[in-house]
Amino acid sequence: MAFAIRTTLEAIQSHVNSSGYVSECIIGEYTSAPMPSGLGIAASVIPMREETVMAFGATTRELHTVLLRLYRDWLSEPASSRDLPLEEAKGVILANLKGDLDLEGAAMSLDIAGMHSGGYSADWGRVEIGSTIFRVIDMTLPVIVDDSTAISA
C-alpha cells in the first residue's frame, strides 16, 4: 500500500495551528496574499521532495521533504521588531515538532539530525505574492517513512 502523505501534512499543520503564533495555515502554496490576524503570521505546508533511501525485504523506507513556510508582511510595524514574532513562532513550532517526532504516528520519524537527509534547516528570505512582499522563514522538515511501498517481484 502506498504511503498517504495527507496524514503527515495534516499532522504538521496541526502543530503549526496549536503554536498560538499562526492565525492561518494551509497545505500547499498561497495563490493570493494571506491576510493573517493576531501576530500577522501565516504558514503553508508544502511537499517538496520524495525519495527512496532504503529497500529491505519486501518494503522500502522513504524520505519525504516538507517545506514549512512562515509568512509575515514585510511592511508590518514596528519595523525594528518585524522578525522577532517569526523567530518566536519558528522556535515554538520546532519545539512542538521535536516533541512529536513520529507526527502523531503518521511517520517513522522527523529526521531532525540527518540520518537520511541533511537534517532540519531554516532559511530566511522574502517572497512576493500578488503585490504584497512577505518576510519568510523556510523550515525544511525531512520526514522518514517506513513500510511506505511494498516491493513485488
Short mmCIF file of all heavy atoms in Angstrom, two decimals, residues 34-36 39-42 71-77 82-83 86 131-136:
data_model
loop_
_atom_site.label_atom_id
_atom_site.label_comp_id
_atom_site.label_asym_id
_atom_site.label_seq_id
_atom_site.Cartn_x
_atom_site.Cartn_y
_atom_site.Cartn_z
N PRO A 34 -1.89 35.97 1.80
CA PRO A 34 -2.65 35.65 3.01
C PRO A 34 -2.91 36.93 3.81
O PRO A 34 -2.16 37.89 3.71
CB PRO A 34 -1.74 34.69 3.77
CG PRO A 34 -0.37 34.96 3.26
CD PRO A 34 -0.53 35.45 1.85
N MET A 35 -3.98 36.93 4.59
CA MET A 35 -4.35 38.08 5.41
C MET A 35 -4.44 37.62 6.87
O MET A 35 -5.52 37.58 7.45
CB MET A 35 -5.68 38.66 4.94
CG MET A 35 -5.71 39.04 3.48
SD MET A 35 -4.71 40.48 3.13
CE MET A 35 -5.79 41.75 3.70
N PRO A 36 -3.31 37.25 7.49
CA PRO A 36 -3.35 36.72 8.85
C PRO A 36 -3.73 37.79 9.87
O PRO A 36 -3.43 38.97 9.69
CB PRO A 36 -1.94 36.20 9.07
CG PRO A 36 -1.10 37.01 8.15
CD PRO A 36 -1.96 37.33 6.97
N LEU A 39 -0.82 38.07 15.42
CA LEU A 39 0.58 38.47 15.25
C LEU A 39 0.94 38.69 13.78
O LEU A 39 2.07 39.04 13.47
CB LEU A 39 1.52 37.43 15.86
CG LEU A 39 1.46 37.30 17.38
CD1 LEU A 39 2.27 36.10 17.84
CD2 LEU A 39 1.97 38.57 18.04
N GLY A 40 0.01 38.44 12.89
CA GLY A 40 0.24 38.67 11.47
C GLY A 40 1.07 37.60 10.80
O GLY A 40 1.74 37.85 9.81
N ILE A 41 1.02 36.36 11.32
CA ILE A 41 1.82 35.28 10.76
C ILE A 41 0.90 34.24 10.11
O ILE A 41 -0.07 33.79 10.72
CB ILE A 41 2.70 34.61 11.82
CG1 ILE A 41 3.66 35.63 12.43
CG2 ILE A 41 3.47 33.42 11.24
CD1 ILE A 41 4.46 35.11 13.61
N ALA A 42 1.22 33.90 8.89
CA ALA A 42 0.54 32.82 8.16
C ALA A 42 1.57 31.74 7.87
O ALA A 42 2.78 31.96 7.99
CB ALA A 42 -0.07 33.35 6.87
N TYR A 71 5.07 33.20 7.06
CA TYR A 71 5.00 34.48 6.35
C TYR A 71 4.62 35.59 7.32
O TYR A 71 3.74 35.41 8.17
CB TYR A 71 3.87 34.46 5.31
CG TYR A 71 3.90 33.40 4.27
CD1 TYR A 71 3.49 32.10 4.53
CD2 TYR A 71 4.30 33.70 2.97
CE1 TYR A 71 3.47 31.13 3.55
CE2 TYR A 71 4.29 32.73 1.98
CZ TYR A 71 3.87 31.45 2.28
OH TYR A 71 3.86 30.50 1.29
N ARG A 72 5.22 36.77 7.12
CA ARG A 72 4.79 37.98 7.83
C ARG A 72 4.99 39.15 6.88
O ARG A 72 6.03 39.26 6.23
CB ARG A 72 5.59 38.19 9.11
CG ARG A 72 4.99 39.29 9.98
CD ARG A 72 5.43 39.12 11.43
NE ARG A 72 4.64 39.95 12.30
CZ ARG A 72 5.08 41.05 12.87
NH1 ARG A 72 6.33 41.44 12.70
NH2 ARG A 72 4.29 41.76 13.65
N ASP A 73 4.00 40.03 6.81
CA ASP A 73 4.04 41.18 5.90
C ASP A 73 5.33 41.97 6.13
O ASP A 73 5.67 42.33 7.25
CB ASP A 73 2.81 42.07 6.13
CG ASP A 73 2.65 43.15 5.09
OD1 ASP A 73 3.66 43.63 4.53
OD2 ASP A 73 1.49 43.52 4.84
N TRP A 74 6.04 42.21 5.04
CA TRP A 74 7.32 42.93 5.08
C TRP A 74 7.17 44.33 5.68
O TRP A 74 8.07 44.85 6.31
CB TRP A 74 7.90 43.02 3.67
CG TRP A 74 9.23 43.66 3.60
CD1 TRP A 74 9.50 44.95 3.25
CD2 TRP A 74 10.50 43.07 3.90
NE1 TRP A 74 10.84 45.19 3.29
CE2 TRP A 74 11.49 44.05 3.69
CE3 TRP A 74 10.88 41.80 4.31
CZ2 TRP A 74 12.84 43.79 3.88
CZ3 TRP A 74 12.22 41.56 4.51
CH2 TRP A 74 13.18 42.55 4.30
N LEU A 75 6.01 44.93 5.49
CA LEU A 75 5.78 46.30 5.96
C LEU A 75 5.12 46.36 7.33
O LEU A 75 4.66 47.41 7.75
CB LEU A 75 4.94 47.07 4.93
CG LEU A 75 5.57 47.19 3.55
CD1 LEU A 75 4.63 47.90 2.59
CD2 LEU A 75 6.91 47.90 3.62
N SER A 76 5.08 45.23 8.03
CA SER A 76 4.45 45.22 9.35
C SER A 76 5.20 46.14 10.30
O SER A 76 6.41 46.34 10.19
CB SER A 76 4.37 43.80 9.91
OG SER A 76 5.65 43.23 10.01
N GLU A 77 4.48 46.70 11.22
CA GLU A 77 5.06 47.65 12.18
C GLU A 77 5.19 47.00 13.54
O GLU A 77 4.39 46.15 13.90
CB GLU A 77 4.17 48.90 12.26
CG GLU A 77 4.03 49.64 10.95
CD GLU A 77 5.33 50.24 10.43
OE1 GLU A 77 6.21 50.56 11.26
OE2 GLU A 77 5.49 50.35 9.22
N ARG A 82 10.20 43.48 13.34
CA ARG A 82 9.45 42.73 12.32
C ARG A 82 9.76 41.24 12.38
O ARG A 82 8.88 40.40 12.22
CB ARG A 82 9.81 43.29 10.94
CG ARG A 82 9.09 42.61 9.81
CD ARG A 82 9.50 43.20 8.46
NE ARG A 82 9.19 44.62 8.43
CZ ARG A 82 10.08 45.56 8.05
NH1 ARG A 82 11.27 45.23 7.67
NH2 ARG A 82 9.72 46.82 8.04
N ASP A 83 11.01 40.88 12.57
CA ASP A 83 11.41 39.48 12.50
C ASP A 83 11.19 38.71 13.81
O ASP A 83 11.11 37.49 13.78
CB ASP A 83 12.89 39.38 12.12
CG ASP A 83 13.16 39.82 10.70
OD1 ASP A 83 12.20 39.92 9.91
OD2 ASP A 83 14.33 40.05 10.37
N LEU A 86 8.31 36.15 13.98
CA LEU A 86 8.60 34.98 13.14
C LEU A 86 9.58 34.04 13.83
O LEU A 86 9.40 32.82 13.83
CB LEU A 86 9.18 35.42 11.79
CG LEU A 86 8.21 35.88 10.72
CD1 LEU A 86 8.97 36.43 9.52
CD2 LEU A 86 7.29 34.76 10.30
N SER A 131 0.79 41.68 -4.83
CA SER A 131 1.60 42.90 -4.69
C SER A 131 2.12 43.07 -3.26
O SER A 131 2.59 44.13 -2.89
CB SER A 131 0.78 44.13 -5.10
OG SER A 131 -0.37 44.23 -4.26
N THR A 132 2.05 42.00 -2.47
CA THR A 132 2.49 42.05 -1.08
C THR A 132 3.82 41.30 -0.94
O THR A 132 3.95 40.17 -1.40
CB THR A 132 1.44 41.43 -0.13
OG1 THR A 132 0.19 42.06 -0.35
CG2 THR A 132 1.86 41.58 1.31
N ILE A 133 4.77 41.95 -0.28
CA ILE A 133 6.07 41.31 0.00
C ILE A 133 6.03 40.79 1.43
O ILE A 133 5.63 41.49 2.36
CB ILE A 133 7.23 42.30 -0.18
CG1 ILE A 133 7.26 42.81 -1.62
CG2 ILE A 133 8.56 41.62 0.18
CD1 ILE A 133 8.26 43.93 -1.86
N PHE A 134 6.45 39.53 1.58
CA PHE A 134 6.47 38.89 2.90
C PHE A 134 7.89 38.54 3.30
O PHE A 134 8.69 38.10 2.48
CB PHE A 134 5.63 37.60 2.89
CG PHE A 134 4.17 37.83 2.75
CD1 PHE A 134 3.58 37.85 1.49
CD2 PHE A 134 3.38 38.01 3.86
CE1 PHE A 134 2.22 38.06 1.35
CE2 PHE A 134 2.01 38.23 3.73
CZ PHE A 134 1.43 38.26 2.47
N ARG A 135 8.18 38.72 4.57
CA ARG A 135 9.38 38.16 5.19
C ARG A 135 9.01 36.72 5.50
O ARG A 135 7.92 36.45 6.03
CB ARG A 135 9.70 38.94 6.46
CG ARG A 135 10.94 38.46 7.17
CD ARG A 135 12.18 38.81 6.39
NE ARG A 135 13.35 38.79 7.27
CZ ARG A 135 14.52 38.35 6.88
NH1 ARG A 135 14.70 37.93 5.64
NH2 ARG A 135 15.54 38.37 7.70
N VAL A 136 9.86 35.77 5.16
CA VAL A 136 9.54 34.37 5.36
C VAL A 136 10.67 33.62 6.06
O VAL A 136 11.84 34.03 5.99
CB VAL A 136 9.21 33.63 4.03
CG1 VAL A 136 7.98 34.23 3.37
CG2 VAL A 136 10.39 33.62 3.09
#
